[in-house]
Each structure stands twice: as structure tokens, then as C-alpha cells.
Amino acid sequence: MPSERPSPVPLTATATGPLKGRVRVPGDKSISHRALMLGALAIGETTIQGLLEGDDILATVAAMRAFGAIVSRTEPGHWRIKGVGVGGFLEPEDAIDFGNAGTGVRLALGLVGSQAISATFTGDALLRGRPMGRILDPLRRMGVQVLARSKDRLPLTIKGPDITLPIEYRLPVPSARVKSAILLAGLNTPGITTIVEPTLTRDHTERMLTAFGASIEIDSNEDGERIVRLEGRRDLKAQQIVVPGDPSSAAFLIVAALLIEGSDLTIEAVLLNPMRIGLIETLVEMGGDIAIDNRRTVGGEAVGDIRVRASRLRGVTVPPERAPSMIDEYPILAIAAAFAEGTTVMEGLAELRIKESDRIAAIAAGLLANGVTVEEGPESLAVTGGAARIGGGATVTTRLDHRVATSFLVLGLAGQAPVTIDDFGSIQTSFPEFQALMNGLGAHFERAGPAAA
Ligand code: S3P
């Protein structure tokens, strides 16, 4: 996984006709990371169908190989992984490079922290700039040693003790990645590792641990907080995993179909975990015609087909408590808001400042450049829709952020004038098929135009 990116390639999206038909989006990124990691620790051969094959996940594939798991691709989206058993990771010879994958590296720090080996982690320039302290603090309490050149940033080396200590940890921030890193460390920790979760976050790790046969219990206390208890040093059994479509990728198609007149699009087999569908809830409140058909359960997760018909949207206030269930979807919600009647107010967005980019700033700047009225607060964003002409402004600076890049391409597909992004390379991390999939629905992109200053 190369740490440095090739030169930026600008891309222009122009207005497209109605989006019609049935499509599928690639596998869920969160579940893909977890399937590879638990497969790497399980006894036996895990098969994964529908694995996302974006750069972020390929970095996790490379990491699991470096720790001794045997990982092979049998056909597109189909992978096999022979695990080494809980506690069986080998010490890697070289640094593990996670590229741009913020989730991959954070989960891996937990996974590796409780193994009695030392491993060095690095990433691209953006990942090296992102804080890791909220993962490293609880790991240190478990006995993991951390050596970093600059405080709690990559590159860093961790060294697990012979025996990690089980901790009870109350999540100071609503973060599924912090929760998951501790649970993954708990797998090779004797005794019971306990998480107290005051605000619910996505629970894919808990669901998948249950499927792999881990000893895990979920409860709530008298204050309504969620308690997760995991007993460590128990074997995991290899599984057959089917990864549902990623709702965070489906989000771009859902918003495009709502905004482009005459659209009637069905996105099949999308993950509908309750902690991932805040965007759908919000778009329905805004007047979006969205129906879920064919609801089913796949591998312990809710899945369904999402039918979207073009709709007139109106602005709403999105409450802060909804943020964990749509944390990656604010960039594309802001695009929907740019076309809605009235103002959409999004609150409780502090976490967006430390995602792949400062997403509050990136969205605000991109919308302003395209003639949309935006107000940026420290933890909020207010977008007023309905400008006479949207798009055709300066090139949008995507700050190498895949979700910002894809969102602004949707603005160009739905707007009255073309929109150019400075680089579409980042989209490779999570939705490499985006352009081809949209081309198949009649959308048009051009690889031209000057890069943003
Ligand atoms: C993720 C959790 C979220 C999300 C990220 C993926 C996960 O991050 O933004 O894209 O797979 O657990 P936080 O839990 O750190 O907010």
C-alpha cells in the first residue's frame, strides 16, 4: 500500500438525466475491515463475499498478511482468510502502512496491542496528521507500550505486554472505533473487558464477535447506558461472511436520485443497521420519497432494498443526538440541503473536524464556491437551499477526502452548472466503482479542468 498518492486528477460532473433502474453499491467498509480482522484471529478458514475492494480495505488485507494470516482473493469480492488463532500474530518485519485508512489503523492498534509483539504503524501524510490518542489512552491502561516520534501520531510503535489487563472503560466520546479497538484488544486479554457506552454507536464489532463465537454480553445499566462485556482468551471460529452494501456509499446515489428530476432508483442489499440510517431518517423528514423493500437479516445485520424517487426537499434541523447514526453522511446531506427549500441546520458536528479532513470547513468552502449560502459554526453547519443557480463556481478543494469529493460530484450531477473537484483519486479509498456505476446510469464526467490552487 503506497503511502504517497499519485498527482491529483481533477474531475468535472455535469447535469445528468433521471437515474433509473436497480443497482448495487460495494460492500460496507466498517464490516469489511472487521471481517478481515476477526478472520485473521479465528481458527479455520473464513470466507468473505462482497468485500469492499477499496484502498482502505486492501491496506487491512496487507496488514493481516504481515501478521501471519493467509489471505487470498478467489474472485472479485470473494476472499478467503486462514486465521492464526487469538494471540497468534507474528511480529511483522516491516512497518505496517495503512495509507489513508483511519478506521483500519485504529482497529488494528487494538487488535495488535494485546499481542506480545511489537509493530510499527504508519500511513499517508493525512493519516500521520490525525490524532490517535483516544485509542492509545485505553490501550496504555491495558499495559500496552507506545513509542511515538510526535505525541500520539503516526508513525508509532506499539509493544504489547505478555499479559494485558482487562479494563472497564467508559467511552469519553461517542466513537465506534474507540469501542472496537478496546474490544479487539480484549480478545487476547484474560478476564472481562467492559465498555460503558453512554451514547450508542455502530455495533458491527459486537455483532460480528457474536457470530465468530466470542464470549460477549450486551446489557444496559440503570442510567440507560449500554454495557458490553467481553471475556478474552477464547477461541474464535471461522465464519462465512456476506458483506451487505455500504449505506455510506448508497447515500450518494440516494441523494442524487432525490435531486435529479424523474429519477426512480433502487439500490439493492444495503446494510440498514439502526446506527447507520440517520441520513435516511433525515431525508424522509425533508420530504424525500424513500421506501425500503425486501427487508431481511444477513449475517446478523439488517439489510434491504432502498427505492428512491425524485422529491422536493425542505430544510430541517438535524438534532445532535442523531450524529452517531449518520456521522459520515453530513457532506452529502449538505448537498441535499443546498437544493432544499429553506435552511437545514446540522448540530453536534464536533467529530467532523477530525475526520479525513475538517469536514465542516471543507463542505462550507465547497458550497460557498458554488453559490450556496452556508453558515459555519464551531460544531454546526447551516445550509440555505434554493439558490437560483447552483454549481459552476471555482474548483472545489476536496482536501483528499473521499466523502467530500464524491458529494461535490453529486452536486455537479444535480446542479444547473458543472462542478469540478480538484482530485478524484481519494474516491478509490471507499467507492472505487462510483464513476463507472454512475456512467452506467447515464451520468457524464470529464477528466479536465485546472487543479485547485
Ligand atoms: C467507523 C466509525 C466512525 C466512522 C468511520 C468508521 C467504524 O468513526 O466515522 O468512518 O467503522 O467503526 P468514529 O467511531 O471514530 O466516530
PDB file of all heavy atoms in Angstrom, residues 344-373:
ATOM      1  N   THR A 344     -31.321  24.134   6.342  1.00  0.00           N
ATOM      2  CA  THR A 344     -31.087  22.897   7.082  1.00  0.00           C
ATOM      3  C   THR A 344     -29.993  23.180   8.095  1.00  0.00           C
ATOM      4  O   THR A 344     -28.906  23.640   7.731  1.00  0.00           O
ATOM      5  CB  THR A 344     -30.661  21.763   6.123  1.00  0.00           C
ATOM      6  OG1 THR A 344     -31.734  21.532   5.198  1.00  0.00           O
ATOM      7  CG2 THR A 344     -30.352  20.472   6.875  1.00  0.00           C
ATOM      8  N   VAL A 345     -30.305  22.916   9.355  1.00  0.00           N
ATOM      9  CA  VAL A 345     -29.338  23.179  10.415  1.00  0.00           C
ATOM     10  C   VAL A 345     -28.834  21.830  10.926  1.00  0.00           C
ATOM     11  O   VAL A 345     -29.628  20.948  11.265  1.00  0.00           O
ATOM     12  CB  VAL A 345     -29.995  23.976  11.569  1.00  0.00           C
ATOM     13  CG1 VAL A 345     -28.976  24.251  12.674  1.00  0.00           C
ATOM     14  CG2 VAL A 345     -30.591  25.273  11.036  1.00  0.00           C
ATOM     15  N   MET A 346     -27.514  21.660  10.945  1.00  0.00           N
ATOM     16  CA  MET A 346     -26.913  20.398  11.420  1.00  0.00           C
ATOM     17  C   MET A 346     -26.103  20.725  12.663  1.00  0.00           C
ATOM     18  O   MET A 346     -25.205  21.568  12.604  1.00  0.00           O
ATOM     19  CB  MET A 346     -26.004  19.821  10.334  1.00  0.00           C
ATOM     20  CG  MET A 346     -26.718  19.612   9.017  1.00  0.00           C
ATOM     21  SD  MET A 346     -25.552  19.344   7.667  1.00  0.00           S
ATOM     22  CE  MET A 346     -26.308  20.355   6.401  1.00  0.00           C
ATOM     23  N   GLU A 347     -26.424  20.060  13.750  1.00  0.00           N
ATOM     24  CA  GLU A 347     -25.769  20.377  15.028  1.00  0.00           C
ATOM     25  C   GLU A 347     -25.047  19.169  15.601  1.00  0.00           C
ATOM     26  O   GLU A 347     -25.348  18.040  15.219  1.00  0.00           O
ATOM     27  CB  GLU A 347     -26.829  20.861  16.030  1.00  0.00           C
ATOM     28  CG  GLU A 347     -27.381  22.219  15.656  1.00  0.00           C
ATOM     29  CD  GLU A 347     -28.635  22.581  16.440  1.00  0.00           C
ATOM     30  OE1 GLU A 347     -29.294  21.673  16.982  1.00  0.00           O
ATOM     31  OE2 GLU A 347     -28.941  23.788  16.487  1.00  0.00           O
ATOM     32  N   GLY A 348     -24.134  19.437  16.517  1.00  0.00           N
ATOM     33  CA  GLY A 348     -23.423  18.334  17.193  1.00  0.00           C
ATOM     34  C   GLY A 348     -22.378  17.696  16.290  1.00  0.00           C
ATOM     35  O   GLY A 348     -22.185  16.483  16.299  1.00  0.00           O
ATOM     36  N   LEU A 349     -21.686  18.539  15.494  1.00  0.00           N
ATOM     37  CA  LEU A 349     -20.773  18.009  14.479  1.00  0.00           C
ATOM     38  C   LEU A 349     -19.291  18.031  14.884  1.00  0.00           C
ATOM     39  O   LEU A 349     -18.429  17.921  14.020  1.00  0.00           O
ATOM     40  CB  LEU A 349     -20.926  18.793  13.165  1.00  0.00           C
ATOM     41  CG  LEU A 349     -22.335  18.937  12.585  1.00  0.00           C
ATOM     42  CD1 LEU A 349     -22.261  19.562  11.199  1.00  0.00           C
ATOM     43  CD2 LEU A 349     -23.049  17.596  12.517  1.00  0.00           C
ATOM     44  N   ALA A 350     -18.993  18.172  16.183  1.00  0.00           N
ATOM     45  CA  ALA A 350     -17.596  18.317  16.609  1.00  0.00           C
ATOM     46  C   ALA A 350     -16.687  17.252  15.982  1.00  0.00           C
ATOM     47  O   ALA A 350     -15.568  17.545  15.544  1.00  0.00           O
ATOM     48  CB  ALA A 350     -17.506  18.253  18.125  1.00  0.00           C
ATOM     49  N   GLU A 351     -17.172  16.019  15.911  1.00  0.00           N
ATOM     50  CA  GLU A 351     -16.339  14.920  15.386  1.00  0.00           C
ATOM     51  C   GLU A 351     -15.941  15.138  13.920  1.00  0.00           C
ATOM     52  O   GLU A 351     -14.950  14.592  13.453  1.00  0.00           O
ATOM     53  CB  GLU A 351     -17.083  13.585  15.513  1.00  0.00           C
ATOM     54  CG  GLU A 351     -17.224  13.086  16.949  1.00  0.00           C
ATOM     55  CD  GLU A 351     -15.887  12.667  17.557  1.00  0.00           C
ATOM     56  OE1 GLU A 351     -15.224  11.811  16.979  1.00  0.00           O
ATOM     57  OE2 GLU A 351     -15.528  13.230  18.616  1.00  0.00           O
ATOM     58  N   LEU A 352     -16.743  15.915  13.189  1.00  0.00           N
ATOM     59  CA  LEU A 352     -16.437  16.109  11.756  1.00  0.00           C
ATOM     60  C   LEU A 352     -15.132  16.874  11.539  1.00  0.00           C
ATOM     61  O   LEU A 352     -14.531  16.784  10.470  1.00  0.00           O
ATOM     62  CB  LEU A 352     -17.553  16.887  11.058  1.00  0.00           C
ATOM     63  CG  LEU A 352     -18.905  16.220  10.853  1.00  0.00           C
ATOM     64  CD1 LEU A 352     -19.647  16.895   9.719  1.00  0.00           C
ATOM     65  CD2 LEU A 352     -18.783  14.744  10.577  1.00  0.00           C
ATOM     66  N   ARG A 353     -14.715  17.606  12.557  1.00  0.00           N
ATOM     67  CA  ARG A 353     -13.472  18.376  12.412  1.00  0.00           C
ATOM     68  C   ARG A 353     -12.242  17.473  12.363  1.00  0.00           C
ATOM     69  O   ARG A 353     -11.174  17.900  11.949  1.00  0.00           O
ATOM     70  CB  ARG A 353     -13.326  19.365  13.576  1.00  0.00           C
ATOM     71  CG  ARG A 353     -14.435  20.411  13.617  1.00  0.00           C
ATOM     72  CD  ARG A 353     -13.892  21.777  13.298  1.00  0.00           C
ATOM     73  NE  ARG A 353     -14.923  22.802  13.350  1.00  0.00           N
ATOM     74  CZ  ARG A 353     -15.130  23.673  12.364  1.00  0.00           C
ATOM     75  NH1 ARG A 353     -14.404  23.653  11.265  1.00  0.00           N
ATOM     76  NH2 ARG A 353     -16.066  24.578  12.483  1.00  0.00           N
ATOM     77  N   ILE A 354     -12.386  16.203  12.837  1.00  0.00           N
ATOM     78  CA  ILE A 354     -11.200  15.321  12.860  1.00  0.00           C
ATOM     79  C   ILE A 354     -11.403  14.060  12.012  1.00  0.00           C
ATOM     80  O   ILE A 354     -10.840  13.019  12.277  1.00  0.00           O
ATOM     81  CB  ILE A 354     -10.800  14.938  14.302  1.00  0.00           C
ATOM     82  CG1 ILE A 354     -11.996  14.375  15.071  1.00  0.00           C
ATOM     83  CG2 ILE A 354     -10.194  16.120  15.026  1.00  0.00           C
ATOM     84  CD1 ILE A 354     -11.610  13.595  16.311  1.00  0.00           C
ATOM     85  N   LYS A 355     -12.234  14.163  10.992  1.00  0.00           N
ATOM     86  CA  LYS A 355     -12.371  13.029  10.052  1.00  0.00           C
ATOM     87  C   LYS A 355     -11.245  13.120   9.008  1.00  0.00           C
ATOM     88  O   LYS A 355     -10.230  13.743   9.251  1.00  0.00           O
ATOM     89  CB  LYS A 355     -13.763  13.046   9.428  1.00  0.00           C
ATOM     90  CG  LYS A 355     -14.870  12.713  10.429  1.00  0.00           C
ATOM     91  CD  LYS A 355     -14.785  11.273  10.880  1.00  0.00           C
ATOM     92  CE  LYS A 355     -15.783  10.963  11.974  1.00  0.00           C
ATOM     93  NZ  LYS A 355     -15.569   9.651  12.578  1.00  0.00           N
ATOM     94  N   GLU A 356     -11.422  12.520   7.843  1.00  0.00           N
ATOM     95  CA  GLU A 356     -10.353  12.522   6.834  1.00  0.00           C
ATOM     96  C   GLU A 356      -9.874  13.943   6.545  1.00  0.00           C
ATOM     97  O   GLU A 356      -8.737  14.179   6.153  1.00  0.00           O
ATOM     98  CB  GLU A 356     -10.835  11.839   5.548  1.00  0.00           C
ATOM     99  CG  GLU A 356     -10.828  10.327   5.610  1.00  0.00           C
ATOM    100  CD  GLU A 356     -12.046   9.722   6.292  1.00  0.00           C
ATOM    101  OE1 GLU A 356     -12.655  10.367   7.180  1.00  0.00           O
ATOM    102  OE2 GLU A 356     -12.393   8.571   5.953  1.00  0.00           O
ATOM    103  N   SER A 357     -10.799  14.912   6.674  1.00  0.00           N
ATOM    104  CA  SER A 357     -10.413  16.331   6.639  1.00  0.00           C
ATOM    105  C   SER A 357     -11.275  17.012   7.685  1.00  0.00           C
ATOM    106  O   SER A 357     -12.120  16.372   8.309  1.00  0.00           O
ATOM    107  CB  SER A 357     -10.703  16.932   5.258  1.00  0.00           C
ATOM    108  OG  SER A 357     -12.111  17.019   5.047  1.00  0.00           O
ATOM    109  N   ASP A 358     -11.065  18.318   7.872  1.00  0.00           N
ATOM    110  CA  ASP A 358     -12.020  19.091   8.676  1.00  0.00           C
ATOM    111  C   ASP A 358     -13.245  19.237   7.774  1.00  0.00           C
ATOM    112  O   ASP A 358     -13.314  20.118   6.922  1.00  0.00           O
ATOM    113  CB  ASP A 358     -11.413  20.450   9.029  1.00  0.00           C
ATOM    114  CG  ASP A 358     -12.417  21.354   9.746  1.00  0.00           C
ATOM    115  OD1 ASP A 358     -13.630  21.057   9.722  1.00  0.00           O
ATOM    116  OD2 ASP A 358     -11.968  22.356  10.321  1.00  0.00           O
ATOM    117  N   ARG A 359     -14.200  18.336   7.967  1.00  0.00           N
ATOM    118  CA  ARG A 359     -15.310  18.275   7.007  1.00  0.00           C
ATOM    119  C   ARG A 359     -16.236  19.472   7.101  1.00  0.00           C
ATOM    120  O   ARG A 359     -16.861  19.842   6.097  1.00  0.00           O
ATOM    121  CB  ARG A 359     -16.101  16.967   7.189  1.00  0.00           C
ATOM    122  CG  ARG A 359     -15.349  15.795   6.596  1.00  0.00           C
ATOM    123  CD  ARG A 359     -16.167  14.527   6.546  1.00  0.00           C
ATOM    124  NE  ARG A 359     -15.397  13.520   5.815  1.00  0.00           N
ATOM    125  CZ  ARG A 359     -15.499  12.208   6.001  1.00  0.00           C
ATOM    126  NH1 ARG A 359     -16.348  11.731   6.902  1.00  0.00           N
ATOM    127  NH2 ARG A 359     -14.768  11.377   5.291  1.00  0.00           N
ATOM    128  N   ILE A 360     -16.355  20.094   8.268  1.00  0.00           N
ATOM    129  CA  ILE A 360     -17.232  21.272   8.362  1.00  0.00           C
ATOM    130  C   ILE A 360     -16.655  22.353   7.446  1.00  0.00           C
ATOM    131  O   ILE A 360     -17.366  22.934   6.620  1.00  0.00           O
ATOM    132  CB  ILE A 360     -17.344  21.786   9.817  1.00  0.00           C
ATOM    133  CG1 ILE A 360     -17.907  20.690  10.725  1.00  0.00           C
ATOM    134  CG2 ILE A 360     -18.209  23.048   9.872  1.00  0.00           C
ATOM    135  CD1 ILE A 360     -18.131  21.113  12.172  1.00  0.00           C
ATOM    136  N   ALA A 361     -15.351  22.576   7.559  1.00  0.00           N
ATOM    137  CA  ALA A 361     -14.712  23.620   6.756  1.00  0.00           C
ATOM    138  C   ALA A 361     -14.723  23.259   5.268  1.00  0.00           C
ATOM    139  O   ALA A 361     -14.990  24.110   4.410  1.00  0.00           O
ATOM    140  CB  ALA A 361     -13.284  23.830   7.243  1.00  0.00           C
ATOM    141  N   ALA A 362     -14.461  21.994   4.959  1.00  0.00           N
ATOM    142  CA  ALA A 362     -14.390  21.577   3.544  1.00  0.00           C
ATOM    143  C   ALA A 362     -15.751  21.724   2.859  1.00  0.00           C
ATOM    144  O   ALA A 362     -15.843  22.209   1.729  1.00  0.00           O
ATOM    145  CB  ALA A 362     -13.897  20.135   3.451  1.00  0.00           C
ATOM    146  N   ILE A 363     -16.818  21.327   3.561  1.00  0.00           N
ATOM    147  CA  ILE A 363     -18.165  21.427   2.963  1.00  0.00           C
ATOM    148  C   ILE A 363     -18.536  22.895   2.780  1.00  0.00           C
ATOM    149  O   ILE A 363     -19.022  23.303   1.722  1.00  0.00           O
ATOM    150  CB  ILE A 363     -19.232  20.767   3.884  1.00  0.00           C
ATOM    151  CG1 ILE A 363     -18.965  19.281   4.086  1.00  0.00           C
ATOM    152  CG2 ILE A 363     -20.633  20.980   3.325  1.00  0.00           C
ATOM    153  CD1 ILE A 363     -19.747  18.677   5.264  1.00  0.00           C
ATOM    154  N   ALA A 364     -18.278  23.693   3.830  1.00  0.00           N
ATOM    155  CA  ALA A 364     -18.671  25.109   3.767  1.00  0.00           C
ATOM    156  C   ALA A 364     -17.960  25.793   2.601  1.00  0.00           C
ATOM    157  O   ALA A 364     -18.592  26.497   1.804  1.00  0.00           O
ATOM    158  CB  ALA A 364     -18.353  25.789   5.087  1.00  0.00           C
ATOM    159  N   ALA A 365     -16.655  25.563   2.472  1.00  0.00           N
ATOM    160  CA  ALA A 365     -15.901  26.226   1.408  1.00  0.00           C
ATOM    161  C   ALA A 365     -16.400  25.777   0.028  1.00  0.00           C
ATOM    162  O   ALA A 365     -16.570  26.592  -0.880  1.00  0.00           O
ATOM    163  CB  ALA A 365     -14.412  25.926   1.566  1.00  0.00           C
ATOM    164  N   GLY A 366     -16.649  24.477  -0.124  1.00  0.00           N
ATOM    165  CA  GLY A 366     -17.096  23.956  -1.420  1.00  0.00           C
ATOM    166  C   GLY A 366     -18.463  24.501  -1.807  1.00  0.00           C
ATOM    167  O   GLY A 366     -18.712  24.862  -2.964  1.00  0.00           O
ATOM    168  N   LEU A 367     -19.367  24.590  -0.844  1.00  0.00           N
ATOM    169  CA  LEU A 367     -20.703  25.104  -1.156  1.00  0.00           C
ATOM    170  C   LEU A 367     -20.650  26.593  -1.484  1.00  0.00           C
ATOM    171  O   LEU A 367     -21.265  27.048  -2.459  1.00  0.00           O
ATOM    172  CB  LEU A 367     -21.666  24.847   0.011  1.00  0.00           C
ATOM    173  CG  LEU A 367     -22.133  23.389   0.185  1.00  0.00           C
ATOM    174  CD1 LEU A 367     -23.027  23.257   1.407  1.00  0.00           C
ATOM    175  CD2 LEU A 367     -22.864  22.872  -1.058  1.00  0.00           C
ATOM    176  N   LEU A 368     -19.872  27.349  -0.693  1.00  0.00           N
ATOM    177  CA  LEU A 368     -19.750  28.793  -0.961  1.00  0.00           C
ATOM    178  C   LEU A 368     -19.228  29.033  -2.372  1.00  0.00           C
ATOM    179  O   LEU A 368     -19.729  29.880  -3.100  1.00  0.00           O
ATOM    180  CB  LEU A 368     -18.784  29.426   0.045  1.00  0.00           C
ATOM    181  CG  LEU A 368     -19.378  29.772   1.414  1.00  0.00           C
ATOM    182  CD1 LEU A 368     -18.273  30.264   2.348  1.00  0.00           C
ATOM    183  CD2 LEU A 368     -20.480  30.834   1.282  1.00  0.00           C
ATOM    184  N   ALA A 369     -18.232  28.217  -2.761  1.00  0.00           N
ATOM    185  CA  ALA A 369     -17.644  28.369  -4.098  1.00  0.00           C
ATOM    186  C   ALA A 369     -18.672  28.099  -5.193  1.00  0.00           C
ATOM    187  O   ALA A 369     -18.507  28.511  -6.329  1.00  0.00           O
ATOM    188  CB  ALA A 369     -16.456  27.428  -4.245  1.00  0.00           C
ATOM    189  N   ASN A 370     -19.734  27.395  -4.842  1.00  0.00           N
ATOM    190  CA  ASN A 370     -20.758  27.062  -5.837  1.00  0.00           C
ATOM    191  C   ASN A 370     -22.047  27.853  -5.651  1.00  0.00           C
ATOM    192  O   ASN A 370     -23.117  27.437  -6.095  1.00  0.00           O
ATOM    193  CB  ASN A 370     -21.027  25.561  -5.815  1.00  0.00           C
ATOM    194  CG  ASN A 370     -19.917  24.806  -6.529  1.00  0.00           C
ATOM    195  OD1 ASN A 370     -19.826  24.839  -7.749  1.00  0.00           O
ATOM    196  ND2 ASN A 370     -19.043  24.177  -5.767  1.00  0.00           N
ATOM    197  N   GLY A 371     -21.939  28.964  -4.946  1.00  0.00           N
ATOM    198  CA  GLY A 371     -23.070  29.889  -4.872  1.00  0.00           C
ATOM    199  C   GLY A 371     -24.122  29.539  -3.842  1.00  0.00           C
ATOM    200  O   GLY A 371     -25.247  30.037  -3.907  1.00  0.00           O
ATOM    201  N   VAL A 372     -23.785  28.674  -2.880  1.00  0.00           N
ATOM    202  CA  VAL A 372     -24.782  28.267  -1.868  1.00  0.00           C
ATOM    203  C   VAL A 372     -24.497  29.036  -0.576  1.00  0.00           C
ATOM    204  O   VAL A 372     -23.342  29.213  -0.187  1.00  0.00           O
ATOM    205  CB  VAL A 372     -24.708  26.745  -1.619  1.00  0.00           C
ATOM    206  CG1 VAL A 372     -25.714  26.314  -0.558  1.00  0.00           C
ATOM    207  CG2 VAL A 372     -24.929  25.982  -2.919  1.00  0.00           C
ATOM    208  N   THR A 373     -25.547  29.454   0.104  1.00  0.00           N
ATOM    209  CA  THR A 373     -25.387  30.181   1.373  1.00  0.00           C
ATOM    210  C   THR A 373     -25.158  29.206   2.513  1.00  0.00           C
ATOM    211  O   THR A 373     -25.966  28.299   2.731  1.00  0.00           O
ATOM    212  CB  THR A 373     -26.672  31.004   1.651  1.00  0.00           C
ATOM    213  OG1 THR A 373     -26.942  31.795   0.505  1.00  0.00           O
ATOM    214  CG2 THR A 373     -26.523  31.886   2.876  1.00  0.00           C
TER     215      THR A 373
END
